[in-house]
Amino acid sequence: MRAVRLSVVTAAATAAALTALTGCTEKSTAEGSDRAIRVTATDSKCEVSKKEFPAGHVEVAVENKGAKVTEVYLLFPDDRIVAERENIGPGTKQTVTAEVKAGDYQIACKPGMTGKGIRQTVKATGGGSVAKRDPRLDQAVAAYREYAQAQADETLPKVKVFTDAVKAGDLEAAKKAYAPSRLGWERTEPVAESFGDIDPKVDVREDGLEDGQKWTGWHRLEKALWQDKKIGAEEKSLADQLVTDLKEWQEKVGTAEITPTSMANGAKELLDEVATGKVTGEEERYSHTDLVDFKGNVEGAQKAYELLKPVASKNDPALAEELDKQFAALNALLDKYRSDKASYEFVSYDKVTENQQKELSDAVNALAEPLSKLAAAVVK
């Protein structure tokens, strides 16, 4: 899903850590039922156990039998994302719970986490409704939709401050405005990325470019500001392009497909973002503003969880208690690196020691493991 991707080499190096983080060894609770789809991914194949399944809640149980790190997507025909799992290491398994309406879909496996993937067409049959949904889940979806829209609406003025500074050639002002301009995006990345075509334009790193893709967006400008230390005509043009692309995001947010399970899975995906980009220092490799993005990802994950918590705590009180505990612990740890709780000014990540990075990574893993169970909890 992420346009901000690890290289294949780096992803392979982190696969062992992600096994603990993502619960790769978990077994599908619905295995053997008509709602369970087994996906066997290799470096050259994407095999599915069935091509048709009842609409409603389904479990996609993925096993990577290849040599490369892979990712698996459940997609609408127009490539919008229904559900996904990234960074599935060789020899590991992951399960994702999703909610689907009747209709045609595709399952895509992406060995090496690049390209369009190896695809299988599948179909959800039946009326497409989910029986006896708790009305609090509908309220959670409505509230999260408002949250996602608000984040997009609030992002554009901050991006304008950033891009105006770039167009004025003011290097220091642009650097100062860079990290704040990204917060709304970082909080709601799963929704933003569900559209597929916007994320590669605005949030891709250089090592995540597909063949023939022009590098645009935040990280292209980040490199110009911090490494190249120059703003030229191309950078000024790219600033205008960033605003245009993010306006498209802002306009599309209201059309996003949001379900209780996509909210829960999105929260999990945000923690994966932290583990594979922010903790490693790869996300903001020039500006070292990773901790701002880190905080944004955690806030977005916590917002989704808090909205789902009334149902999750009823269905699985022990899980809700553990999530409360781990969110509090991770936020307290992050607070050690910020100027004050009211600001988003954090220590430059190149000043964070290896031991401190390990401590942050451990806290992320401690939260991500129970968070991976949230989707299943809200549909019990």
Side-chain angles (χ1 to χ4, degrees):
M1 179 174 77
R2 308 289 183 255
V4 179
R5 298 192 185 280
L6 294 172
S7 67
V8 176
V9 173
T10 303
T14 59
L18 283 166
T19 298
L21 185 150
T22 55
C24 298
T25 58
E26 66 180 272
K27 184 177 180 181
S28 170
T29 57
E31 190 168 338
S33 80
D34 60 353
R35 295 190 181 278
I37 308 167
R38 295 187 306 280
V39 179
T40 303
T42 70
D43 297 344
S44 59
K45 295 181 180 180
C46 185
E47 299 176 341
V48 298
S49 61
K50 62 187 66 174
K51 295 292 186 75
E52 291 192 4
F53 49 87
H57 294 122
V58 299
E59 285 196 355
V60 182
V62 183
E63 181 175 7
N64 182 6
K65 292 187 175 181
K68 298 178 181 178
V69 176
T70 195
E71 53 193 20
V72 174
Y73 294 78
L74 178 61
L75 300 166
F76 289 105
D78 61 1
D79 272 12
R80 285 177 299 130
I81 297 168
V82 180
E84 64 171 307
R85 274 294 182 266
E86 297 184 337
N87 296 294
I88 307 170
T92 63
K93 299 178 182 180
Q94 292 190 31
T95 299
V96 57
T97 302
E99 182 179 317
V100 296
K101 298 177 181 178
D104 294 325
Y105 297 87
Q106 288 189 327
I107 290 177
C109 305
K110 296 187 180 182
M113 301 195 301
T114 60
K116 292 289 187 180
I118 305 161
R119 301 193 173 201
Q120 295 278 7
T121 299
V122 296
K123 186 181 186 68
T125 59
S129 62
V130 178
K132 298 180 181 179
R133 174 189 277 179
D134 189 315
R136 291 175 297 180
L137 292 178
D138 292 323
Q139 294 167 10
V141 168
Y144 188 74
R145 188 178 296 279
E146 290 180 5
Y147 173 74
Q149 186 66 62
Q151 292 304 308
D153 293 344
E154 293 166 12
T155 292
L156 266 295
K158 294 176 181 178
V159 170
K160 195 69 164 52
V161 172
F162 170 59
T163 55
D164 283 352
V166 171
K167 290 164 65 178
D170 191 333
L171 200 69
E172 293 307 313
K175 285 182 176 181
K176 184 177 181 180
Y178 171 76
S181 76
R182 291 176 52 74
L183 265 170
W185 176 273
E186 293 293 334
R187 289 171 179 143
T188 58
E189 273 189 280
V191 173
E193 292 165 346
S194 69
F195 302 113
D197 57 341
I198 299 174
D199 181 74
K201 297 177 185 177
V202 304
D203 202 27
V204 69
R205 297 197 311 252
E206 188 171 17
D207 57 354
L209 294 170
E210 304 289 353
D211 290 342
Q213 180 183 350
K214 181 182 178 181
W215 192 15
T216 59
W218 270 300
H219 294 298
R220 168 64 179 82
L221 293 169
E222 178 203 5
K223 182 176 184 289
L225 297 174
W226 273 273
Q227 179 167 294
D228 303 336
K229 296 180 172 60
K230 70 177 184 67
I231 299 173
E234 182 180 6
E235 285 74 30
K236 293 178 182 180
S237 175
L238 289 170
D240 282 333
Q241 186 62 46
L242 179 62
V243 173
T244 298
D245 292 336
L246 288 171
K247 282 182 178 177
E248 183 183 356
W249 162 53
Q250 181 188 29
E251 291 166 1
K252 284 187 173 182
V253 166
T255 68
E257 292 280 344
I258 299 175
T259 65
T261 54
S262 74
M263 288 170 61
N265 290 326
K268 163 72 169 50
E269 290 155 22
L270 286 170
L271 265 290
D272 288 354
E273 279 285 297
V274 173
T276 61
K278 282 68 173 184
V279 167
T280 63
E282 295 193 29
E283 177 84 352
E284 305 289 359
R285 61 188 65 174
Y286 309 111
S287 65
H288 304 301
T289 56
D290 302 88
L291 287 172
V292 181
D293 289 1
F294 192 141
K295 182 64 174 176
N297 285 158
V298 173
E299 287 181 338
Q302 188 163 11
K303 179 66 175 181
Y305 163 60
E306 291 291 348
L307 291 172
L308 295 170
K309 183 179 175 180
V311 173
S313 60
K314 175 186 175 183
N315 292 344
D316 194 336
L319 177 65
E321 182 179 354
E322 182 66 12
L323 285 169
D324 288 341
K325 174 185 172 183
Q326 298 302 338
F327 267 117
L330 182 55
N331 280 314
L333 184 57
L334 278 172
D335 284 344
K336 294 180 180 180
Y337 297 94
R338 64 197 298 189
S339 301
D340 63 77
K341 290 186 178 181
S343 79
Y344 283 89
E345 293 183 9
F346 284 82
V347 171
S348 180
Y349 203 64
D350 58 341
K351 306 298 183 187
V352 178
T353 68
E354 287 187 12
N355 286 339
Q356 289 172 325
Q357 289 181 29
K358 175 65 163 56
E359 184 181 26
L360 287 164
S361 180
D362 289 346
V364 171
N365 290 350
L367 171 59
E369 193 281 325
L371 197 58
S372 69
K373 302 174 183 177
L374 180 59
V378 299
V379 300
K380 280 186 177 180

